């Protein structure tokens, strides 16, 4: 029966059946084909493809066997190195872990017939420590890289140690030779022997006399210090160099002065020509200067006139502003005389719309209507938040009034017209006040038009 073509249902069915491990004895390594039963394996062996592969194998059997053996060994040792590096484990468990991969190299294709042969081979080559027990062969991985590293380290140590030993031996040999010839003098501690009047001189030159008793008063010892002599010589050289450089500079200056003095003097004719040229330049400059002076004078006069006009306007405007301010203050003073100072400070009233300004408040920046005022604390009120069913408490310093647009109604909260309604005529945001036309209590007649700060008026909700 011909083989199923790839992609066909038969091919898919065969693939699904071939999933997972099957019997290893029905696997052909040369063709890399797994058969499901003995009959299938027999048919495969009789097929042309297998026969062709076997002919290739027969041409150089050792080559193929060695390749498969090395591949099998590498895979086995990889598992030992990575997974079972520091463990003593059964060889069979490693083998079962290895053959769990479907595409592994089978032992049938290797030089080793059984697993015991392979384990013995690992023991002989020194790749693993092997031990036979009742349960089977146990393996323990030998890390060759680690051993080589230790060997290299030990070699280095030996070389360093041997070098130090050689040094010591040489020194000892020199000492022994010196002792034999009598040149070696062992150092001994001796105190300083000197008379009361003698001075101790320390110098870098060794004395000729080796006897320590005569070092203090020996005539051959130089009384001068070598280092001081060298310093003196250097100083003398430096001073000589400085003197030379100064002399050279002086000579150069003298030569320059001489050259300057040698210049030709200016004749009288040349002086006259130069004077005439200067006069011509001055004549050309004079008319331009006169023009500039005239222009500047005209400009200054114009600026003075403008400044006067501006000052007059400012004075008039200032007087008008003062009058308005005085009127405002009079109105508030009149209103404040009738009421107590505490009542005047508190402006919160029912039904006015306010905005919560305190950042620490729960409903910061939200607007609401004052529903009630606390009986105990006049600065405390209950607010219903706009467009919600929520209520909150707030103090007067936590809220501010809401100013509507021009033409809308407001409630006056402070001053002479407290409690009356009004209509906004003008709003000046820079100075925080609005011009309000105050209405009569019972009618819509305008009583007065007054400028009031934003804190004294607020938008309200009609009952």
């Amino acid at each position: 029966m011909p083989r199923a073509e790839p992609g066909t249902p038969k091919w898919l069915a065969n693939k699904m059946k071939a999933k997972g491990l099957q019997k290893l004895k029905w696997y052909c390594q040369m063709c890399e084909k797994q058969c499901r039963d003995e009959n299938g394996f027999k048919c495969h062996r009789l097929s042309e493809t297998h026969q062709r592969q076997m002919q290739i194998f027969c041409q150089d059997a050792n080559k193929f066997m060695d390749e498969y053996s090395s591949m099998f060994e590498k895979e086995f040792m990889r598992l030992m190195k990575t997974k079972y590096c520091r463990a003593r484990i059964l060889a069979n468990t490693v083998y079962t872990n290895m053959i769990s991969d479907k595409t592994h190299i089978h032992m049938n294709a290797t030089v080793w017939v059984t697993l015991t042969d392979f384990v013995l081979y690992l023991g002989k080559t020194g790749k693993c420590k092997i031990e036979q027990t009742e349960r089977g062969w146990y393996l323990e991985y030998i890390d060759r890289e680690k051993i080589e590293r230790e060997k290299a380290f030990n070699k280095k140590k030996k070389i360093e140690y041997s070098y130090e030993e050689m040094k010591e031996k040489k020194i000892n040999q020199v000492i022994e030779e010196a002792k034999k010839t009598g040149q070696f003098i062992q150092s001994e501690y001796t105190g300083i022997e000197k008379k009361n009047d003698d001075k101790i001189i320390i110098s870098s030159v060794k004395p000729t006399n080796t006897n320590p008793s005569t070092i203090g008063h020996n005539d051959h010892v130089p009384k001068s210090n070598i280092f001081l002599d060298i310093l003196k010589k250097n100083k003398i050289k430096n001073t000589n160099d400085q003197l030379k450089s100064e002399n050279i500079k002086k000579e150069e200056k003298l030569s320059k002065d001489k050259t300057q003095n040698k210049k030709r003097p200016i004749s009288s004719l040349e002086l006259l020509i130069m004077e005439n040229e200067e006069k011509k330049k001055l004549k050309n400059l004079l008319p331009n200067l006169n023009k500039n002076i005239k222009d500047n004078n005209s400009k200054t006069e114009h600026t003075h006139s403008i400044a006067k006009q501006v000052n007059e306007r400012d004075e008039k405007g200032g007087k008008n502003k003062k009058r308005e301010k005085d009127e405002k203050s009079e109105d508030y003073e009149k209103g404040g005389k009738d009421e107590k100072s505490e009542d005047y400070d508190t402006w919160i009233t029912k039904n006015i719309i306010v905005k919560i300004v305190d950042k620490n408040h729960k409903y910061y920046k939200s607007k609401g209507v004052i529903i009630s005022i606390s009986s105990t604390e006049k600065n405390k009120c209950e607010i219903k938040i706009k467009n919600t069913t929520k209520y909150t408490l707030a103090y007067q310093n936590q809220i501010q009034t809401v100013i509507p647009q021009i033409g809308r109604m407001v409630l006056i909260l402070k001053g002479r017209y407290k409690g009356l309604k009004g209509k906004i005529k003008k709003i000046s945001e820079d100075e925080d006040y609005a011009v309000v036309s105050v209405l009569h209590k019972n009618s819509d007649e305008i009583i007065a038009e007054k400028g009031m700060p934003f804190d004294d008026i607020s938008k309200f909700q009609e009952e």
Side-chain angles (χ1 to χ4, degrees):
M1 190 177 174
R3 187 180 287 180
E5 290 181 8
T8 57
K10 183 72 178 171
W11 178 80
L12 279 168
N14 289 335
K15 281 280 178 190
M16 286 170 77
K17 285 173 189 174
K19 272 185 181 179
L21 288 170
Q22 294 180 13
K23 285 194 177 180
L24 299 176
K25 65 179 180 179
W26 296 330
Y27 182 82
C28 178
Q29 187 67 57
M30 282 296 291
C31 303
E32 293 181 1
K33 181 175 171 61
Q34 176 70 55
C35 298
R36 284 196 292 276
D37 54 4
E38 195 174 351
N39 187 33
F41 189 62
K42 187 181 176 182
C43 292
H44 171 69
R45 278 186 296 165
L46 295 169
S47 64
E48 288 180 12
T49 53
H50 180 73
Q51 292 294 327
R52 208 179 297 121
Q53 289 289 333
M54 290 309 293
Q55 282 174 7
I56 294 162
F57 177 77
C58 290
Q59 286 173 8
D60 195 355
N62 291 325
K63 182 189 171 185
F64 284 102
M65 292 283 278
D66 291 338
E67 276 181 11
Y68 288 133
S69 300
S70 64
M71 286 164 78
F72 180 83
E73 188 186 344
K74 275 180 186 176
E75 188 63 28
F76 193 89
M77 291 308 292
R78 188 185 66 79
L79 273 171
M80 286 295 294
K81 188 180 179 180
T82 54
K83 206 168 185 181
Y84 309 108
C85 180
R86 297 174 184 176
R88 182 174 165 273
I89 194 158
L90 272 167
N92 199 30
T93 54
V94 183
Y95 180 68
T96 50
N97 197 349
M98 184 184 165
I99 63 171
S100 61
D101 183 15
K102 193 180 172 183
T103 57
H104 76 280
I105 304 296
H106 289 65
M107 193 176 271
N108 298 339
T110 61
V111 179
W112 307 287
V113 180
T114 57
L115 186 63
T116 50
D117 293 340
F118 179 64
V119 170
L120 290 166
Y121 161 77
L122 292 174
K124 281 178 186 177
T125 51
K127 291 176 182 178
C128 289
K129 287 180 184 178
I130 58 169
E131 188 185 345
Q132 193 177 13
T133 59
E134 291 177 359
R135 289 186 68 189
W137 288 96
Y138 274 92
L139 296 171
E140 195 175 343
Y141 180 71
I142 298 166
D143 195 353
R144 286 283 166 196
E145 290 176 2
K146 191 180 178 182
I147 291 161
E148 284 173 4
R149 269 188 261 118
E150 284 175 356
K151 280 181 181 178
F153 182 71
N154 290 327
K155 271 185 184 179
K156 272 187 182 179
K157 265 193 172 181
K158 279 180 183 178
I159 290 159
E160 287 172 2
Y161 185 68
S162 62
Y163 181 69
E164 285 174 1
E165 276 187 340
M166 286 285 286
K167 265 188 175 181
E168 284 180 3
K169 279 181 182 178
K170 280 181 181 179
I171 291 159
N172 290 326
Q173 281 176 4
V174 171
I175 290 162
E176 283 173 4
E177 285 174 3
K179 279 179 180 178
K180 284 175 184 177
T181 53
Q183 290 177 357
F184 180 74
I185 299 161
Q186 201 164 1
S187 59
E188 292 178 1
Y189 172 75
T190 54
I192 296 166
E193 294 178 5
K194 72 178 188 75
K195 293 177 182 179
N196 294 326
D197 299 332
D198 291 338
K199 289 181 180 179
I200 296 164
I201 297 161
I202 296 163
S203 65
S204 60
V205 180
K206 288 182 180 179
T208 53
N209 192 6
T210 55
N211 192 2
S213 61
T214 58
I215 286 167
H217 47 82
N218 198 355
D219 297 331
H220 296 288
V221 177
K223 292 182 180 180
S224 63
N225 195 342
I226 292 162
F227 297 111
L228 288 169
D229 292 337
I230 292 160
L231 285 166
K232 282 175 184 177
K233 284 176 185 178
N234 288 328
K235 280 181 182 178
I236 291 157
K237 279 182 183 179
N238 290 328
T239 50
N240 288 327
D241 292 334
Q242 284 177 359
L243 288 165
K244 281 179 184 178
S245 62
E246 283 174 2
N247 289 325
I248 290 158
K249 283 178 182 178
K250 282 177 183 178
E251 285 174 2
E252 285 176 356
K253 280 182 180 179
L254 288 166
S255 63
K256 281 180 182 178
D257 292 334
K258 283 176 184 178
T259 52
Q260 284 174 1
N261 292 325
K262 283 178 183 179
K263 281 183 182 179
R264 185 175 64 80
I266 298 162
S267 63
S268 58
L269 201 143
E270 284 174 347
L271 284 166
L272 286 165
I273 290 160
M274 286 168 75
E275 283 175 3
N276 287 323
E277 284 176 357
E278 284 175 0
K279 282 176 183 178
K280 282 178 183 177
K281 284 178 183 177
L282 286 166
K283 281 178 183 178
N284 292 325
L285 288 167
L286 279 167
N288 292 325
L289 285 166
N290 291 325
K291 281 181 183 178
N292 289 327
I293 289 158
K294 284 177 183 177
D295 292 334
N296 288 326
N297 289 329
S298 62
K299 282 178 183 178
T300 50
E301 285 173 2
H302 184 64
T303 50
H304 281 305
S305 63
I306 290 162
K308 281 179 183 179
Q309 289 174 6
V310 170
N311 287 327
E312 285 173 2
R313 283 177 191 170
D314 290 337
E315 284 173 3
K316 286 177 182 178
K319 285 175 183 178
N320 292 328
K321 282 181 181 178
K322 279 180 182 178
R323 282 175 191 169
E324 285 178 2
K325 284 180 181 177
D326 292 335
E327 284 175 1
K328 285 179 190 177
S329 62
E330 282 173 8
D331 291 336
Y332 286 110
E333 281 171 6
K334 285 174 185 177
K337 282 174 187 177
D338 299 332
E339 297 169 357
K340 291 179 183 177
S341 61
E342 288 179 5
D343 294 338
Y344 183 74
D345 290 336
T346 54
W347 50 264
I348 52 172
T349 52
K350 279 186 183 181
N351 300 324
I352 62 164
I353 296 165
V354 290
K355 186 181 180 181
I356 296 163
V357 183
D358 189 11
K359 288 181 181 179
N360 298 322
H361 201 278
K362 189 181 177 181
Y363 298 102
Y364 172 59
K365 280 189 177 179
S366 55
K367 292 178 183 179
V369 183
I370 294 172
I371 293 165
S372 62
I373 298 159
S374 176
S375 57
T376 54
E377 294 178 90
K378 289 182 179 180
N379 292 331
K380 195 176 181 182
C381 62
E382 190 180 4
I383 301 164
K384 186 189 176 185
I385 305 300
K386 208 173 181 182
N387 300 325
T388 58
T389 55
K390 293 176 181 178
Y391 294 86
T392 185
L393 293 168
Y395 287 92
Q396 186 174 283
N397 58 2
Q398 292 178 316
I399 56 174
Q400 71 175 17
T401 58
V402 176
I403 308 301
Q405 293 177 354
I406 295 164
R408 297 289 181 91
M409 298 295 285
V410 289
L411 189 72
I412 298 159
L413 308 173
K414 287 183 186 179
R416 185 180 174 185
Y417 303 105
K418 185 179 178 180
L420 296 175
K421 294 174 185 178
K423 194 181 279 186
I424 289 174
K425 288 279 183 179
K426 186 184 173 184
I427 296 168
S428 69
E429 292 179 358
D430 297 333
E431 295 181 8
D432 292 338
Y433 83 94
V435 178
V436 181
S437 54
V438 184
L439 302 175
H440 196 271
K441 196 173 186 180
N442 299 321
S443 63
D444 294 337
E445 288 180 13
I446 296 165
I447 301 165
E449 279 189 7
K450 297 287 176 186
M452 297 181 183
F454 289 161
D455 292 337
D456 292 4
I457 54 171
S458 180
K459 189 180 178 181
F460 67 95
Q461 191 178 34
E462 292 181 0
E463 293 178 2

